[in-house]
Amino acid sequence: MTTPLLGSLNPAQREAVEHVEGPLLVLAGAGSGKTRVLTARVANLIETHGVAPDRIFAVTFTNKAAAEMKERIGRLLGRDPGGLWIGTFHSLSARMLRREAELLGFTRQYTIYDEDDRLRVIRRLLEQLGHPPKAFPPKAVQSIISGAKNRMTPPSELLAASTFNPLVKVAAEVYAALGPALKAANAMDFDDLLLHPLELFRAHPERLEAYRRKFQFVLVDEFQDTNRAQYELIRALGAHGNVSAVGDDDQSIYGWRGAEVRNMVDFQRDFTEVRLVRLEENYRSTQVVLDAANAVIAENTGRIGKTLRTARRGGEPVTLLAAADERDEAEWISGELRRRAADGDWSYGEMAVLYRTNAQSRALEEAFRRSGTPYRIVGAISFYDRREVKDLLAYLRLIANPADNEAFLRAVMVPRRGIGESSLTAVIEAAGQWGKPLLATAAIADRLGDLRPNVRQALTGFAALIERLRSQSGHQPPADLLEELIQAIDYENLLRQEGPEGADRWENVRELVASAANWSEVVSADPEDEGSPLERFLADAALLSSHDAIEGSEEGVTLMTIHTAKGLEWPVVVLAGLEDGLFPLSRADEQPGGVEEERRLCYVGLTRAKDKLYVTFARSRRRGGTLQYSRPSRFLEALPPGILDERRTSVAGWGHSGAAGQWGRAAGQRGSGAVRAVPWASAPTAPRPPGPAAELPEEVSQDTPRYVKGERVRHRRFGGGAIQGLTGAGRDLKVTVQFDDEEVGLKQLLVAFAGLEREWESA
């Protein structure tokens, strides 16, 4: 490596970069330059130690991170690191499986099913097994199966553990049938991409040995977010010991989707003589921000342990705001950010408001709209999840894999072609009797006497179109194939008939073609890569996540959940809604390690701030049409008093139990080192009367069901849905819920007996 590069590293970073052989665990605190360490380490292995790029297996957690790292490695080397295996677990596994598919009973043209595809398969399997989807919601079944796969729990073990839970029992049955169903369609779901390599290595140890020899060095980013299957894959490939894991146990926040923070501890047990390097110098935040974050996370037990420090001494104090309710809180946040922008301190694009649950965005949006404060909400529909994009990708998937029945069912209906549900049912039944995929059955639809002549002609014509395009797909760039497909089905005219919305959809289609063309320019041909350009393009498209596709104007204040904000940073961050029952969530106390994960999430939120941090809580929140008292979050008790600027809004102190009084009781009186400020009153508001909620006792539990219109909830039988309305109060409170499952539809439920849970983590 060049001396200037090594000279730019601090001693701990340099130690991690210059380590060569043997296991290495880098404990990388927030903002400590871990990306610089990872890229410099890869470049150092290639440049200084002569390791060929194709002998390095580097795993990141988003495609965007992988692309950025590869670009930075190229800049450090002064050339493209051709042959380097770098990407997400799913993308690298898909690349590996494309070579080895035949050994597992698939062809190399296998399809990657997304969540919607898998959901349709699960719905059909439920019906085939005689389980009504109304009683056993497909989404709930899918969630149970995915969790079992992430834990590497086979169907038999899931069934054995389902003694007292009918839903889990049914999920185990569907799980057992799902594997054969996917194999029959020559398809894998996202979870399979992690499990099938392990299955391959168990059944064919010679292939595992070959990959161990090939990948001389294994590097893993965001190691604290790995699930059990991902950890076992790293253990298998890295048995030679040259494994570098970079992560932060204090930022492990995805336990609800299978991540296991204990993998960082297990790494030190499973690999001998692990070198542990702590990156504790933070290059992002002021010392004040770090003092707050360090104090909060220090209360977690079982940490490997580190303390962040920075050269950015001092900084503005942390503003701790007590508001009357969620509207008061949102109005203060909007007004304060407008004031800071008007004063020229920071632009709106340099500010973010982070919250624990999506439901909190409602009050914030309303306040920002009323005040004219520009904002953007991150979490819109991903480009690759849009209807028109999924339509065309279904065609491409069917062209690449004629056995993909899910792709057939979507593509054959675009355009409709006069084919109805009864006709499709006849094709599906015939395919089952003949043992053929749906496309092959459609090609001989003239043998189906029950179909009208025009339907038989439409089916055979559709099959002929797919076959014609398939014959060209081996050599034709994906963009050219798309252009020809769009013209063949007259898709532009079909969309434009939908009016202004159709015109917008057409622009998305043009963007898809442009994306495919750009893909061909960016992706270099690698002689080791298996599959046609179309197959590789589809694999990349399937693996793109919504997090990779965050878009929107940078001119407004960013509003997003803390989970979505991980890995991002802003000069100004507002952490809103710090109340027990909301942050931490009420159910965290009931789950092993639940409160500790919530505290890690709080730590992640705090460390997004570079220059200025605001933390807010409301004295009460409106839930289910009534105003309920709240308690400040227990996490606030850890904040050092000497760094706080405590404020309350002009309406937060009504009554003897105002926000300041509640805060004093919950967190203790602050010492003389605390910075006191006059209540913010740049936009005075008349005090709101307490209303009915004032009659409630102060210690009302936030575990009592309280809901708002638009909030996402989950029912144990009906699955997920959105609240459309509320009536009544107390034990007579009823909610009207529009459930996602079309067969369930709209239902009115008595909250006291419904057993509803909030979908706090939904994106």
Side-chain angles (χ1 to χ4, degrees):
M1 296 301 296
T2 60
T3 302
L5 172 65
L6 292 177
S8 69
L9 302 175
N10 65 42
Q13 291 174 333
R14 185 163 184 161
E15 180 183 359
V17 168
E18 293 187 319
H19 176 83
V20 182
E21 295 191 338
L24 171 70
L25 179 61
V26 180
L27 198 62
S32 62
K34 72 177 179 62
T35 302
R36 175 191 293 183
V37 168
L38 278 166
T39 53
R41 178 162 169 71
V42 172
N44 189 48
L45 288 172
I46 295 171
E47 188 73 6
T48 305
H49 300 283
V51 180
D54 64 357
R55 306 295 299 278
I56 298 173
F57 187 91
V59 188
T60 65
F61 265 77
T62 67
N63 295 287
K64 180 180 178 182
E68 290 176 351
M69 282 184 59
K70 186 174 182 182
E71 181 182 350
R72 290 175 68 166
I73 292 167
R75 287 202 303 268
L76 291 175
L77 293 173
R79 63 183 185 278
D80 180 61
L84 176 67
W85 280 54
I86 184 169
T88 65
F89 273 102
H90 291 94
S91 64
L92 294 178
S93 293
R95 184 176 178 183
M96 192 184 302
L97 290 168
R98 194 70 68 183
R99 302 174 172 194
E100 313 289 349
E102 286 91 345
L103 293 176
L104 294 171
F106 297 85
T107 75
R108 296 185 179 186
Q109 292 74 42
Y110 69 84
T111 297
I112 300 172
Y113 275 8
D114 64 15
E115 295 300 302
D116 289 342
D117 298 322
R118 181 168 66 176
L119 195 63
R120 284 192 291 270
V121 176
I122 287 173
R123 182 183 293 275
R124 277 206 300 278
L125 290 174
L126 280 167
E127 292 170 348
Q128 290 172 12
L129 293 168
H131 301 303
K134 283 187 177 181
F136 303 99
K139 283 191 175 180
V141 171
Q142 176 173 253
S143 177
I144 292 170
I145 292 173
S146 184
K149 285 188 172 185
N150 285 335
R151 297 188 303 272
M152 300 181 65
T153 303
S156 58
E157 289 185 20
L158 185 62
L159 183 62
S162 66
T163 311
F164 303 107
N165 192 322
L167 180 60
V168 175
K169 185 172 185 288
V170 168
E173 293 179 32
V174 174
Y175 184 10
L178 181 61
L182 290 174
K183 185 166 288 189
N186 194 31
M188 303 179 191
D189 63 25
F190 271 33
D191 298 323
D192 290 334
L193 293 179
L194 303 178
L195 294 175
H196 283 329
L198 295 172
E199 181 184 342
L200 170 75
F201 295 156
R202 282 193 297 268
H204 301 277
E206 75 282 359
R207 299 309 302 146
L208 171 58
E209 187 58 36
Y211 280 109
R212 279 179 183 162
R213 288 196 303 269
K214 174 177 176 56
F215 298 125
Q216 187 178 352
F217 290 90
V218 176
L219 298 90
V220 191
D221 190 13
E222 302 288 3
F223 192 67
Q224 77 281 348
D225 293 333
T226 52
N227 61 33
R228 205 63 200 170
Q230 291 164 337
Y231 180 69
E232 291 301 329
L233 182 61
I234 292 304
R235 278 189 67 194
L237 291 175
H240 46 58
N242 293 333
V243 181
S244 303
V246 180
D248 183 1
D249 56 338
D250 290 334
Q251 295 189 72
S252 180
I253 60 173
Y254 295 115
W256 50 275
R257 70 183 190 193
E260 298 190 15
V261 66
R262 68 184 177 93
N263 287 347
M264 295 196 71
V265 175
D266 289 351
F267 182 87
Q268 298 178 84
R269 179 200 66 198
D270 295 335
F271 292 90
T272 57
E273 299 182 4
V274 175
R275 175 179 289 187
L276 177 63
V277 176
R278 289 179 171 86
L279 303 185
E280 297 176 301
E281 186 168 347
N282 177 283
Y283 293 92
R284 173 190 299 157
S285 307
T286 65
Q287 188 62 52
V288 168
V289 171
L290 295 186
D291 286 346
N294 285 333
V296 168
I297 198 63
E299 298 197 352
N300 269 5
T301 59
R303 302 169 59 223
I304 298 176
K306 67 180 181 310
T307 301
L308 293 181
R309 60 182 183 275
T310 180
R312 299 187 62 196
R313 313 307 303 175
E316 283 199 23
V318 176
T319 296
L320 174 64
L321 175 80
D325 57 25
E326 78 280 0
R327 180 177 176 182
D328 189 35
E329 176 190 50
E331 287 175 350
W332 188 91
I333 291 170
S334 172
E336 174 70 1
L337 297 185
R338 283 181 66 82
R339 182 183 71 81
R340 300 306 297 256
D343 290 348
D345 297 335
W346 295 281
S347 68
Y348 288 122
E350 295 178 302
M351 304 173 179
V353 182
L354 309 181
Y355 35 81
R356 178 63 182 85
T357 73
N358 279 299
Q360 291 171 257
S361 68
R362 177 191 56 81
L364 290 162
E365 281 190 82
E366 290 175 359
F368 276 61
R369 285 198 193 105
R370 283 194 299 267
S371 65
T373 307
Y375 71 94
R376 66 181 188 127
I377 290 188
V378 176
I381 297 175
S382 166
F383 177 77
Y384 285 93
D385 285 336
R386 292 167 183 164
R387 187 193 80 198
E388 58 278 13
V389 175
K390 290 179 78 74
D391 285 346
L392 294 176
L393 289 179
Y395 268 96
L396 295 185
R397 284 169 43 189
L398 191 58
I399 291 167
N401 176 15
D404 189 340
N405 289 341
E406 296 306 317
F408 173 91
L409 290 171
R410 183 171 193 126
V412 77
M413 304 301 280
V414 182
R416 299 286 295 188
R417 298 183 171 87
I419 302 171
E421 292 298 327
S422 59
S423 300
L424 271 183
T425 300
V427 174
I428 292 170
E429 290 175 351
Q433 293 170 2
W434 297 343
K436 291 180 177 294
L438 295 179
L439 181 63
T441 304
I444 53 175
D446 50 2
R447 301 183 191 177
L448 298 174
D450 294 339
L451 298 180
R452 298 191 308 275
N454 66 307
V455 174
R456 292 200 296 269
Q457 184 177 358
L459 288 167
T460 55
F462 173 76
L465 169 64
I466 298 299
E467 180 54 36
R468 176 169 65 83
L469 295 175
R470 178 171 169 75
S471 67
Q472 303 166 201
S473 65
H475 59 276
Q476 198 170 21
D480 293 353
L481 198 64
L482 267 172
E483 292 276 18
E484 189 168 346
L485 166 63
I486 291 165
Q487 185 175 358
I489 63 174
D490 197 15
Y491 199 46
E492 179 179 4
N493 184 53
L494 183 69
L495 290 177
R496 291 195 182 279
Q497 289 175 5
E498 299 179 12
E501 182 182 342
D504 290 342
R505 292 188 183 280
W506 173 245
E507 290 306 312
N508 289 333
V509 169
R510 299 309 306 160
E511 181 62 27
L512 177 64
V513 176
S515 171
N518 183 65
W519 179 89
S520 295
E521 293 174 2
V522 172
V523 176
S524 56
D526 189 330
E528 290 191 355
D529 282 329
E530 299 289 347
S532 67
L534 174 61
E535 292 159 7
R536 292 165 57 207
F537 170 72
L538 286 172
D540 286 351
L543 293 167
L544 280 174
S545 69
S546 59
H547 188 73
D548 293 328
I550 290 176
E551 298 173 354
S553 169
E554 296 294 332
E555 300 306 313
V557 178
T558 299
L559 308 181
M560 64 167 65
T561 65
I562 305 173
H563 277 106
T564 309
K566 186 168 182 290
L568 305 177
E569 61 182 43
W570 295 267
V572 181
V573 167
V574 181
L575 209 57
L578 268 289
E579 300 137 35
D580 262 4
L582 179 58
F583 198 6
L585 294 176
S586 56
R587 68 165 180 262
D589 286 308
E590 303 168 4
Q591 302 167 342
V595 173
E596 294 220 342
E597 177 152 329
E598 292 284 300
R599 189 176 283 110
R600 292 194 293 268
L601 186 61
C602 184
Y603 173 81
V604 167
L606 295 171
T607 53
R608 299 311 95 197
K610 297 169 67 176
D611 303 322
K612 175 63 180 179
L613 176 64
Y614 294 88
V615 181
T616 70
F617 67 90
R619 177 67 180 82
S620 56
R621 278 190 191 269
R622 285 173 177 80
R623 306 230 179 147
T626 62
L627 197 65
Q628 305 285 351
Y629 284 107
S630 307
R631 287 190 296 272
S633 171
R634 69 196 76 173
F635 299 156
L636 297 177
E637 298 178 23
L639 295 177
I643 66 170
L644 293 179
D645 166 17
E646 295 186 54
R647 304 189 191 186
R648 61 180 179 180
T649 67
S650 57
V651 295
W654 43 256
H656 70 282
S657 56
Q662 179 78 350
W663 165 243
R665 284 192 299 277
Q669 297 300 324
R670 298 297 171 186
S672 58
V675 182
R676 295 287 173 178
V678 177
W680 181 83
S682 63
T685 307
R688 297 191 193 115
E695 303 299 319
L696 296 173
E698 290 189 16
E699 298 304 318
V700 168
S701 169
Q702 283 202 210
D703 292 352
T704 305
R706 293 173 289 268
Y707 300 101
V708 295
K709 186 177 179 180
E711 187 173 11
R712 294 280 307 175
V713 294
R714 175 165 291 280
H715 187 273
R716 60 183 179 276
R717 284 183 57 198
F718 305 140
I723 294 178
Q724 303 298 306
L726 305 102
T727 58
R731 293 189 65 79
D732 295 324
L733 176 65
K734 295 178 181 178
V735 290
T736 302
V737 182
Q738 179 67 55
F739 286 99
D740 300 335
D741 192 325
E742 295 177 0
E743 296 184 10
V744 177
L746 195 68
K747 286 191 177 294
Q748 190 176 64
L749 306 169
L750 191 62
V751 171
F753 301 102
L756 295 175
E757 292 183 357
R758 291 180 174 83
E759 287 192 348
W760 296 109
E761 292 90 2
S762 62

